[in-house]
C-alpha cells in the first residue's frame, strides 16, 4: 500500500548532501516505509532546494531572516507541515534551533543528524564545521555521527543510531567532515528514517 507510507518532510539550510542520501535511499529501496513529500529550507539560496527539485519533490522556503521572530518562523513551518500531512520531520543540516514549544508538538516525530558522537561536541553553538574544529582542537582520535530524536534540549533527545569514524593525522575540519559524512551520516540517516517510518506506518 502506497498511501499508508509515512509522509516525510526534510528541513534543510545548506548543501543538502544528507537530503541527497535520503532521496537516493528512497530510490534504491532502503527507505520503503516512508516517502519524502516536502523539503523546507530556512535559506532561499540553499543548494538542497535544487536537489529536491531535481528529484521532483515539492519545496518551500521559510527564510529565517525574513521572519520577525521565532514564533513567525515556526508558525510558517507548522502551516506547511500541516498542509502536507507530515508524519515525520527530518532535520538534515537544518541550522536553526527549534523552540521547545515547537518540538513538543511532534513527540518522537522529529529526528536530527549531528556530526559527532553525542554527548561530545554538541549543544548550542556546535553545528557544521564548528563541530569538527572542536573535535580536532580537543585531539580526539575517534569522532562520528549521531541520529537522535529532537526534544527541547539541543542535541539532547534519545539516540537512535551512532557510528564511529577514525580521526587521522593531518585532518582538517573539512577532511574530517567529509569522512564523517561518507562513512557515517549518509549511511545512518537513511537507515534511521526507514526505522522510524516503519513504526509510523504500522500505526497508521
Ligand atoms: C552535516 O554534517 C550535518 O550533520 C550538520 O551539518 C551538515 C549539513 O550538511 N548538522 C549539524 O551540525 C546540526 N547540528 P548537508 O547540508 O550537506 O547535509
Amino acid at each position: 500500500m502506497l498511501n499508508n507510507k509515512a509522509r516525510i518532510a526534510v528541513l534543510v539550510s545548506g548543501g543538502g548532501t544528507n537530503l541527497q542520501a535520503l532521496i537516493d535511499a528512497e530510490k534504491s529501496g532502503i527507505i520503503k516505509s516512508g516517502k519524502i513529500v516536502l523539503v523546507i529550507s530556512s535559506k532561499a539560496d540553499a543548494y538542497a532546494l535544487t536537489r529536491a527539485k531535481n528529484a521532483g519533490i515539492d519545496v518551500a522556503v521559510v527564510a529565517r531572516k525574513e521572519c520577525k521572530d521565532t514564533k513567525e518562523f515556526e508558525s510558517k513551518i507548522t502551516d506547511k507541515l500541516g498542509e502536507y500531512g507530515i508524519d515525520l520531520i527530518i532535520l538534515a543540516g537544518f541550522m536553526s534551533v527549534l523552540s521547545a514549544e515547537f518540538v513538543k508538538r511532534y513527540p518522537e516525530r522529529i529526528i536530527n543528524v549531528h556530526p559527532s558522537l553525542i554527548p561530545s561536541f554538541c549543544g548550542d553553538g556546535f553545528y557544521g564545521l564548528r563541530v569538527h574544529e572542536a573535535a580536532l582542537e580537543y585531539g580526539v582520535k575517534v569522532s562520528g555521527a549521531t541520529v537522535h530524536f529532537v526534544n527541547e534540549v539541543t542535541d539532547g533527545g534519545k539516540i537512535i543510531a551512532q557510528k564511529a569514524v577514525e580521526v587521522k593525522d593531518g585532518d582538517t575540519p573539512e577532511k574530517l567532515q567529509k569522512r564523517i559524512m561518507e562513512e557515517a551520516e549518509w549511511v545512518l540517516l537513511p537507515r534511521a528514517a526507514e526505522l522510524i517510518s516503519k513504526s509510523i506506518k504500522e500505526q497508521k
Side-chain angles (χ1 to χ4, degrees):
M1 282 280 286
L2 261 182
N3 56 3
N4 70 344
K5 282 190 179 187
R7 294 174 64 78
I8 300 172
V10 184
L11 273 55
V12 297
S13 302
T17 63
N18 279 289
L19 168 66
Q20 191 65 55
L22 291 165
I23 292 169
D24 295 346
E26 197 186 316
K27 276 202 189 111
S28 70
I30 292 168
I31 298 176
K32 51 181 187 294
S33 308
K35 183 172 172 54
I36 305 166
V37 295
L38 177 66
V39 169
I40 301 178
S41 176
S42 62
K43 290 199 180 134
D45 60 353
Y47 185 68
L49 289 166
T50 304
R51 296 181 189 271
K53 285 178 198 160
N54 288 344
I57 301 166
D58 285 2
V59 299
V61 175
V62 180
R64 181 66 187 90
K65 62 181 184 189
E66 278 164 29
C67 296
K68 66 174 189 298
D69 53 21
T70 305
K71 209 171 164 205
E72 184 187 335
F73 177 61
E74 293 183 347
S75 100
K76 285 183 176 170
I77 293 175
T78 306
D79 287 351
K80 277 285 162 196
L81 297 173
E83 193 185 310
Y84 279 78
I86 297 302
D87 300 303
L88 173 62
I89 301 163
I90 301 180
L91 309 184
F94 184 68
M95 295 305 176
S96 294
V97 174
L98 294 164
S99 72
E101 206 188 1
F102 181 95
V103 301
K104 275 182 188 154
R105 266 185 252 134
Y106 307 94
E108 302 216 333
R109 288 289 181 273
I110 313 176
I111 66 173
N112 178 50
V113 60
H114 183 77
S116 74
L117 294 173
I118 290 175
S120 291
F121 313 115
C122 65
D124 291 327
F126 286 99
Y127 56 86
L129 270 181
R130 292 185 190 203
V131 177
H132 308 295
E133 279 163 12
L136 290 176
E137 206 169 289
Y138 198 95
V140 291
K141 300 298 177 199
V142 169
S143 190
T146 303
V147 178
H148 62 93
F149 285 115
V150 174
N151 68 4
E152 62 282 1
V153 180
T154 309
D155 298 324
K158 197 167 95 185
I159 290 173
I160 301 165
Q162 283 188 307
K163 191 163 188 280
V165 173
E166 191 190 349
V167 177
K168 294 187 177 170
D169 287 348
D171 264 353
T172 60
E174 290 80 5
K175 280 188 192 168
L176 182 58
Q177 178 183 55
K178 185 166 180 279
R179 189 177 315 115
I180 289 176
M181 282 176 157
E182 287 171 353
E183 294 182 14
E185 296 185 47
W186 301 342
V187 182
L188 286 188
L189 187 60
R191 279 194 205 150
E194 171 55 21
L195 190 76
I196 310 304
S197 295
K198 193 163 180 274
S199 81
I200 292 173
K201 190 179 166 205
E202 283 162 3
Q203 291 165 37
K204 274 180 111 175

